[in-house]
Amino acid sequence: MLTALAIKNAAPQPKAYKVFDGGGLHLIINPNGSKLWRLKYRHLGKEKLISFGPYPDVSLAKARKAREEARELIAEGLDPAEQRREARERELQTRERTFQRLVGDFIQKQEREGRAESTVKKNRWLLGMACDEFGEMPVVEIKAPVILKALRKVEARGTYETARRMKIIVGSVLRYGISCGWIDADPTPALNGALTQPPQKPRAAITDTEQLGGLLRAIDDYNGQATTRIGLQLLALLYPRPGELRQARWSEFDFEKAVWTIPAERAKTRRPHRVPLPKAAVVKLKELKALTGSGELILPSLRSVVRPVSDATFTAALRRMGFAKEEMTAHGFRATFSTLANESGLWNPDAIERALAHVEGNAVRAAYARSEFWDERVRMAKWWADCLNNFRKYC
């Protein structure tokens, strides 16, 4: 058996030679003085060699430990060299599986699924901030403290809601990584309660009938773009999500059947949603069609007919009419309808929720609700159009 002193004193010779420690472990002494540990062993009847590294970087004790580990693998029928090669490949694979690469795959998946352009854009923005902090890290190394450090930087700007949304989308990416076999667990649940909760601010909405009448008259008298005026009138009449109206296409409207079908790929609930069209809405849509009917979109941008109007268009119009953000928002028309429809006591609350395309949390009730309330919703749409007309005239 070798000793540290014997190894130290092993002088180079014109030709490389070996000094042995037993069990196949030996040290090659090269003419240039370098010394390299190797192990000779047999696997499946074949003689093989594996290197343990140079001396003194690998000491005698470390070389012996490596020999014992290799012999244990051989006893189990495994090839130490092959195990090392596979370990190196796994390490390389781990280094290549970065968060930024996973984000790219995740965004491509969302695009294939037909997610709304605005949704994909927002996710890119949020994940871009995450990638700035830990994008180059292998996903297996991303733990809760790493994510929290990035989120704290967002919170430091006072943007608490942005930090909350960033945590959610980072968790979605990491759970996608689990399904791809890149990681075993999502660390974001450990951050529950760690972030500053933003104050809950419901979207501003006018629910007083007198104020609503004033709003409707102001919209009718709006002196900006005619398409914007009609868009606001349709928001009031049909109470859709603003993004669903902005991106609507003429092919979705059936004037004969008086129905607007929002396709699943554009609906927030990811399922088709039918909207009954009262006569007042059909009139407004036909007025709009005379302006934009030559294109695909009902509300195209002024700059490009293939792109919808900006998501700020309706909000900007409300501000020009003198309605502050604390008074009314484009999304607020939904709350206006919901509040007054519920307060009327005339309609089934489930029909109102279905009209708003809200998702039922109970699976059984959700299955039932998909096929119900249409007739009631048609009557409710006419009632609401009449209500708006009365508010406009008498309030």
Side-chain angles (χ1 to χ4, degrees):
M1 294 180 64
L2 288 172
T3 64
L5 181 61
I7 295 171
K8 183 178 180 180
N9 292 334
Q13 296 182 11
K15 285 188 176 183
Y17 67 97
K18 306 172 184 177
V19 290
F20 296 90
D21 187 61
L25 179 64
H26 57 276
L27 191 66
I28 296 179
I29 314 299
N30 291 306
N32 62 3
S34 65
K35 301 172 183 179
L36 181 66
W37 289 108
R38 283 186 176 175
L39 176 71
K40 182 168 68 174
Y41 65 97
R42 298 186 72 82
H43 178 69
L44 300 178
K46 293 183 179 180
E47 186 174 281
K48 295 192 171 187
L49 284 173
I50 186 172
S51 173
F52 291 153
Y55 178 89
D57 294 348
V58 178
S59 66
L60 175 58
K62 289 181 179 179
R64 285 172 175 170
K65 181 180 179 182
R67 175 187 61 195
E68 297 311 310
E69 291 173 349
R71 292 176 71 175
E72 289 177 4
L73 291 172
I74 295 167
E76 295 174 8
L78 301 175
D79 183 348
E82 183 67 19
Q83 293 299 302
R84 176 183 288 184
R85 184 188 66 79
E86 291 178 358
R88 285 173 179 164
E89 288 181 355
R90 287 193 298 271
E91 176 65 19
L92 178 61
Q93 189 178 65
T94 296
R95 294 291 112 192
E96 292 176 343
R97 289 178 170 178
T98 62
F99 181 76
Q100 188 158 341
R101 181 179 167 190
L102 185 61
V103 164
D105 292 349
F106 177 81
I107 291 295
Q108 288 179 4
K109 174 178 175 290
Q110 287 201 320
E111 291 174 335
R112 290 194 302 270
E113 292 171 343
R115 295 295 182 93
E117 182 182 347
S118 58
T119 299
V120 176
K121 182 179 179 180
K122 183 177 293 183
N123 289 344
R124 275 204 188 97
W125 174 64
L126 291 168
L127 291 169
M129 290 189 289
C131 286
D132 288 342
E133 297 299 322
F134 50 81
E136 296 302 320
M137 288 182 62
V139 288
V140 295
E141 295 180 5
I142 297 174
K143 307 301 180 185
V146 172
I147 301 171
L148 182 59
K149 182 180 178 182
L151 296 174
R152 289 283 190 237
K153 290 187 177 181
V154 178
E155 282 193 328
R157 302 196 292 266
T159 50
Y160 302 127
E161 178 63 20
T162 298
R164 187 186 71 84
R165 290 179 180 272
M166 180 174 160
K167 168 186 169 289
I168 291 172
I169 193 62
V170 167
S172 296
V173 171
L174 293 176
R175 287 190 295 277
Y176 174 64
I178 294 174
S179 67
C180 294
W182 286 26
I183 50 175
D184 296 325
D186 167 24
T188 56
L191 299 176
N192 291 342
L195 297 180
T196 303
Q197 290 299 313
Q200 295 299 314
K201 293 183 179 179
R203 291 185 175 95
I206 291 175
T207 56
D208 176 82
T209 57
E210 184 174 347
Q211 292 179 7
L212 180 55
L215 170 62
L216 295 171
R217 289 189 293 273
I219 293 173
D220 292 344
D221 295 336
Y222 180 65
N223 60 5
Q225 288 292 327
T227 52
T228 302
R229 170 180 55 80
I230 299 172
L232 287 167
Q233 290 168 332
L234 290 172
L235 282 178
L237 278 164
L238 304 177
Y239 37 87
R241 294 179 175 87
E244 293 170 343
L245 182 67
R246 288 190 307 102
Q247 300 178 58
R249 284 148 172 78
W250 286 116
S251 59
E252 298 166 8
F253 293 87
D254 187 330
F255 291 149
E256 290 186 9
K257 295 182 179 179
V259 62
W260 169 27
T261 303
I262 302 173
E265 60 268 20
R266 285 203 305 100
K268 183 177 181 179
T269 58
R270 316 315 296 172
R271 64 180 64 168
H273 177 61
R274 292 195 303 161
V275 179
L277 300 175
K279 288 183 180 180
V282 173
V283 169
K284 290 299 174 185
L285 284 164
K286 287 183 176 179
E287 181 183 349
L288 184 61
K289 193 172 180 65
L291 299 172
T292 67
S294 60
E296 183 179 350
L297 294 163
I298 75 167
L299 290 169
S301 166
L302 293 176
R303 297 180 179 178
S304 171
V305 296
V306 298
R307 297 181 61 182
V309 293
S310 163
D311 56 1
T313 299
F314 298 135
T315 299
L318 289 169
R319 301 297 168 262
R320 283 185 60 186
M321 288 183 280
F323 294 91
K325 63 181 180 180
E326 295 82 11
E327 294 179 276
M328 190 62 183
T329 63
H331 203 281
F333 287 103
R334 291 168 59 79
T336 299
F337 161 75
S338 177
T339 300
L340 297 180
N342 278 292
E343 287 181 352
S344 74
L346 298 173
W347 312 105
N348 185 329
D350 287 339
I352 296 172
E353 290 300 293
R354 185 68 183 126
L356 291 165
H358 287 163
V359 177
E360 170 59 53
N362 182 288
V364 176
R365 284 172 55 82
Y368 176 75
R370 276 202 297 270
S371 59
E372 295 297 317
F373 311 124
W374 178 254
D375 291 341
E376 183 173 1
R377 287 172 54 204
V378 170
R379 296 193 302 274
M380 184 164 55
K382 181 181 182 304
W383 166 83
W384 181 243
D386 291 341
C387 284
L388 294 182
N389 196 40
N390 289 332
F391 299 152
R392 180 183 288 107
K393 289 182 178 179
Y394 306 116
C395 292

